[in-house]
Amino acid sequence: MKRTIDEINTRIKKGEAVVLTAREIADSLAAGKEKEVRKVDVVTTGTMGLMSGTYAILSFPITKAGIHRRFTRGTINGVPVSIGPAPNESLGIIDAFVFGTQESDDDPNYGGSFLFRDLVEGKEVTVKATSIDGTEIEAAMTIDEMGTAKLMSARNCFRNYRAMVNPSEKEFTSIFSNRPFRPNYGGITFSGCGHLSPLQNDPDLVSVGVGTGLLFNGNEGFVFSTGTRCSPKYPNLMTVADMKGMDPILMGGFRTAAGPEVLTTYAIPIPVLNDSILKSVMTRDEDIPLSIADVRDRHKIGQTNYGAVWTGHDEIITEDKRPCIKCKICAASNVCPTMAIKQNEAGPTIDRSRCVNCGACVIACEQGSFKGLLGNVKTSIAGQEREMPIVCRNSNRVGAVRTMNDLKNRILDGSFTMREKVADINP
Ligand code: SF4
Ligand code: SF4
């Protein structure tokens, strides 16, 4: 079987194309409907999780022209930004790069990634800047007053990721968990959405390349280059999209034990151009390898698969107020990486617009006020059988499904058109 994107686009326009989400493909295969799956023209795929490579470029006026030659330092909501590269001499305008992983100077629970969501939600932010002559300026503004507000990625949307454990006898603090890793294989964390992930469905990068259109945090953007640390086994992408129009539910900050991380979401259409892509879109979680690494130096020490971390486990975490004993300090609220838990006299409530279903609250609350089966990973490491509880999921399949559904609807209603790549990604 061989098709082109033009042929598929024509079928979409005529209302003849079969467009399915990666979740629908998996459900159909589980129901024994392989024949129907083989008719698919386009699969919409998605992933949501921690992606450190996300950064913003913002441009905005801060004073009138002709007052200051240039600005050299600045913060937004306490988050240090890099001013430049263009000095905008005497224009009173700042161009600023903001890293999502940059911690705020004032608040360890805030950083660039939290700022990105605040901006997209339309909140007013405080900009402080120092001019070359030492004058300090402060201004309040919203994203609407910014001429440019784009989110970009140095390397995001890896085909899939890894699981992390701590084999040592001491706790280890890392960006790969919301809490320090317990010693002696006491807990495992992982990233990746398995068979839903975009590049898992096009592992040879047949259709995805420079120029491929996608949804980046729910807004239309595109791939502009090969990401850093890209390899044939772990390909990834440099991407860009306008922050104005992003969906705040699909983005934001995530507190890890070693500073803020960046929740980021992608949806990418995979046109089924040949049999090899069809085979990839039919791959089950159980057949997608997931390496287990020692979190201290990230070398591989074991092997499992995405079925072991997702199949039969609860993708959605819920609260149950009844067992709550109203602890003086709520351990669950304390560890929630997105600060999604609100406590009142009745007990805990999860803010669904902020929850990323990581499961940290299920582990933290000993009374069982949070429900969700996270499961254990059983595997042999260094010749010894290990069973490690999943203590934090760094990817959220609920967000991945939300964005792939959205992309499917946009393709079918004609508001999103697939286009040919203009150059290859070179892992
Ligand atoms: S939710 Fe759990 S940890 Fe929080 S106050 Fe209630 S019982 Fe304590
Ligand atoms: S699963 Fe629990 S800890 Fe994780 S984001 Fe949701 S409410 Fe917070």
Side-chain angles (χ1 to χ4, degrees), residues 317 336-338 340-341 350 354-361:
I317 305 299
C336 176
T338 61
I341 299 171
I350 295 177
R354 295 199 168 266
C355 175
V356 290
N357 299 294
C358 68
C361 51

Side-chain angles (χ1 to χ4, degrees), residues 223-265:
V223 178
F224 70 85
S225 191
T226 304
T228 62
R229 275 183 40 215
C230 194
S231 68
K233 206 168 160 198
Y234 295 106
N236 70 78
L237 308 170
M238 285 190 186
T239 60
V240 60
D242 208 316
M243 291 174 78
K244 297 175 186 180
M246 284 187 172
D247 178 355
I249 289 177
L250 298 177
M251 61 188 292
F254 185 105
R255 296 183 294 172
T256 75
E261 265 298 326
V262 199
L263 286 162
T264 307
T265 304

Side-chain angles (χ1 to χ4, degrees), residues 323-327 330-332 343 348 365 367 369-370:
C324 179
I325 55 168
K326 323 281 173 345
C327 311
C330 174
Q343 273 288 359
C365 173
Q367 301 302 317
S369 288
F370 297 88

Side-chain angles (χ1 to χ4, degrees), residues 178 254 316-318 332-333 335-341 349-352 354-362 364 370-371 374 392-393:
N178 68 313
F254 185 105
I316 300 178
I317 305 299
T318 56
S333 307
V335 302
C336 176
T338 61
M339 292 168 279
I341 299 171
T349 302
I350 295 177
D351 175 350
R352 299 288 359 156
R354 295 199 168 266
C355 175
V356 290
N357 299 294
C358 68
C361 51
V362 177
F370 297 88
K371 310 282 184 204
L374 300 175
C392 187
R393 299 188 292 215

